[in-house]
């Protein structure tokens, strides 16, 4: 049976099994799950089931709700999966698809939980750090390098990260900047060129959870590329023109990225594209 475990907050350690198809969570006793946290609303969120999947909805709460470090829009349902983190006020809940012997996550050690908390906090800080970085008058290459360094630090599942710069007028790639968690990974190729080209041409994000299950025509390049297990690629669009692509991949295992990671990259893409365009314009005028 699915469950919620409080991993941070006034009621840390408590576990609630999710019985039924709709569960209300909040400060009031009238909720199915009452959380004694004065920073959350009387009715904060609703968890509901459609088919075999669970979704979370913010009930127009005062302080809002965050899913894996990203604020969710009130009144809309967002899918939650095993291990996802829901932050409401000073309380952080972890969703589990199965509860066993009263523990939602018996297989996870304290060090695993501590690491997830650190990752959760880093995800919250990433957009702020990148936003501050974009304000600095530094060259494009240095800017891209520092953005990639922030990404590698915030998302431990990334093995390699690349920013490809694209000239929308000549419809050609200008350059690319790559950072790897391990320098030995560079010998395998920096990124999937076919996926980047697809993103640049269509102006749409690409997410591959497990490349082993992708159609050959969608993902076939060289034997080196076959070592990629999962990847994300988002376009950098400013003023209606694609200025480049932000690409990350994992070589260690499939399902290396969650859908929230794609949302996180998309949140960085537009301000990064604007910063790149402004630097290009300044270079042309100077």
């Amino acid at each position: 049976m699915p469950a919620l475990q409080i991993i941070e907050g006034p009621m840390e350690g408590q576990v609630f099994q999710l019985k039924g198809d709709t569960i209300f969570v909040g400060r009031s006793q009238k909720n199915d799950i009452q959380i004694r946290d004065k920073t959350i609303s009387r009715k904060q969120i609703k968890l509901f089931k459609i088919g075999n999947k669970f979704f979370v909805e913010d009930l127009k709460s005062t302080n809002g709700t965050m899913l894996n470090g990203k604020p969710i829009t009130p009144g809309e349902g967002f899918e939650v999966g095993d291990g996802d983190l829901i932050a409401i006020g000073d309380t952080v809940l972890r969703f589990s698809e199965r509860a066993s012997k009263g523990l939602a996550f018996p297989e996870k050690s304290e060090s695993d939980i501590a690491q997830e908390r650190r990752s959760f906090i880093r995800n919250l800080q990433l957009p702020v750090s990148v936003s501050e970085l974009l304000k600095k008058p530094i060259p494009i290459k240095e800017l891209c390098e520092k953005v990639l360094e922030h990404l590698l630090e915030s998302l431990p599942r990334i093995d390699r990260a690349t920013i490809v710069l694209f000239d929308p007028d000549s419809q050609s790639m200008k350059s690319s900047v790559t950072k790897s968690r391990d320098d030995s990974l560079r010998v395998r190729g920096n990124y999937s060129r076919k996926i980047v080209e697809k993103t640049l041409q269509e102006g749409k994000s690409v997410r591959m959870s497990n490349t082993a299950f992708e159609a050959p025509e969608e993902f076939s390049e060289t034997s080196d590329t076959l070592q990629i297990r999962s990847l994300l690629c988002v376009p950098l669009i400013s003023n209606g023109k694609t200025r480049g692509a932000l690409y990350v991949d994992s070589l260690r295992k499939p399902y290396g990225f969650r859908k929230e990671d794609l949302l996180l990259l998309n949140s960085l893409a537009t301000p990064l594209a604007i910063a790149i365009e402004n630097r290009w314009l300044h270079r042309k005028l100077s």
Side-chain angles (χ1 to χ4, degrees):
M1 179 180 295
L4 285 178
Q5 181 182 25
I6 300 179
I7 64 170
E8 191 169 317
M11 297 173 64
E12 182 176 346
Q14 293 201 30
V15 178
F16 301 92
Q17 292 188 349
L18 303 181
K19 301 177 181 179
D21 292 338
T22 304
I23 301 96
F24 290 92
V25 181
R27 197 177 73 248
S28 169
Q29 294 180 353
K30 296 181 180 180
N31 291 285
D32 300 293
I33 297 176
Q34 181 190 15
I35 298 181
R36 294 183 293 277
D37 180 346
K38 62 182 180 181
T39 63
I40 69 175
S41 299
R42 293 178 63 83
K43 273 197 173 182
Q44 176 82 23
I45 59 173
K46 175 178 72 174
L47 287 159
F48 58 96
K49 189 176 181 182
I50 299 178
N52 295 322
K53 297 180 179 180
F54 266 90
F55 298 80
V56 60
E57 177 186 335
D58 179 82
L59 301 174
K60 298 182 179 179
S61 62
T62 302
N63 295 323
T65 300
M66 303 190 79
L67 178 61
N68 294 320
K70 296 289 295 180
I72 63 175
T73 305
E76 295 184 15
F78 291 80
E79 184 182 347
V80 290
D82 196 41
D84 282 348
L85 300 178
I86 303 170
I88 52 175
D90 292 335
T91 296
V92 179
L93 308 159
R94 186 192 286 111
F95 177 83
S96 172
E97 293 180 350
R98 293 176 303 276
S100 176
K101 297 182 180 179
L103 295 176
F105 293 87
E107 74 282 359
K108 294 199 176 184
S109 65
E110 291 184 2
S111 62
D112 290 334
I113 295 175
Q115 182 177 357
E116 287 185 359
R117 288 181 184 174
R118 290 193 294 270
S119 178
F120 177 71
I121 294 172
R122 287 195 297 266
N123 284 356
L124 290 176
Q125 295 173 339
L126 179 61
V128 177
S129 300
V130 171
S131 177
E132 291 300 317
L133 177 63
L134 297 181
K135 297 176 184 177
K136 297 180 179 180
I138 57 179
I140 291 178
K141 182 179 179 181
E142 183 181 352
L143 173 69
C144 293
E145 289 177 343
K146 291 186 177 297
V147 168
L148 296 180
E149 288 172 0
H150 281 299
L151 274 173
L152 288 168
E153 181 180 355
S154 297
L155 295 176
R157 297 180 293 280
I158 293 177
D159 286 327
R160 304 179 304 185
T162 297
I163 293 176
V164 175
L165 302 180
F166 182 73
D167 185 346
D169 296 324
S170 64
Q171 292 291 300
S172 62
M173 294 187 193
K174 294 174 66 69
S175 60
S176 64
V177 179
T178 296
K179 288 287 183 179
S180 300
R181 194 169 299 281
D182 183 346
D183 287 339
S184 66
L185 299 176
R186 290 179 179 271
V187 302
R188 304 179 184 179
N190 292 335
Y191 59 91
S192 168
R193 284 161 176 75
K194 187 164 186 178
I195 295 301
V196 168
E197 290 172 0
K198 177 182 176 69
T199 300
L200 294 173
Q201 291 171 2
E202 299 181 359
K204 297 180 181 179
S205 299
V206 176
R207 176 190 175 203
M208 288 189 175
S209 300
N210 188 347
T211 58
F213 296 144
E214 299 296 334
E217 63 272 13
E218 291 293 324
F219 194 74
S220 59
E221 297 179 57
T222 67
S223 58
D224 291 337
T225 304
L226 296 178
Q227 298 182 57
I228 298 172
R229 298 293 178 254
S230 52
L231 63 85
L232 300 174
C233 190
V234 301
L236 304 178
I237 300 175
S238 174
N239 288 325
K241 293 185 177 181
T242 301
R243 308 288 173 177
L246 176 55
Y247 168 98
V248 299
D249 65 22
S250 173
L251 306 181
R252 292 168 291 175
K253 59 182 181 180
Y255 306 107
F257 305 109
R258 300 173 178 172
K259 56 184 179 297
E260 287 76 19
D261 296 331
L262 182 58
L263 292 174
L264 182 61
L265 260 62
N266 276 315
S267 72
L268 303 177
T270 298
L272 177 56
I274 294 172
I276 291 173
E277 181 186 16
N278 289 339
R279 282 163 174 78
W280 277 347
L281 290 175
H282 182 268
R283 181 185 297 176
K284 289 179 180 180
L285 295 175
S286 60

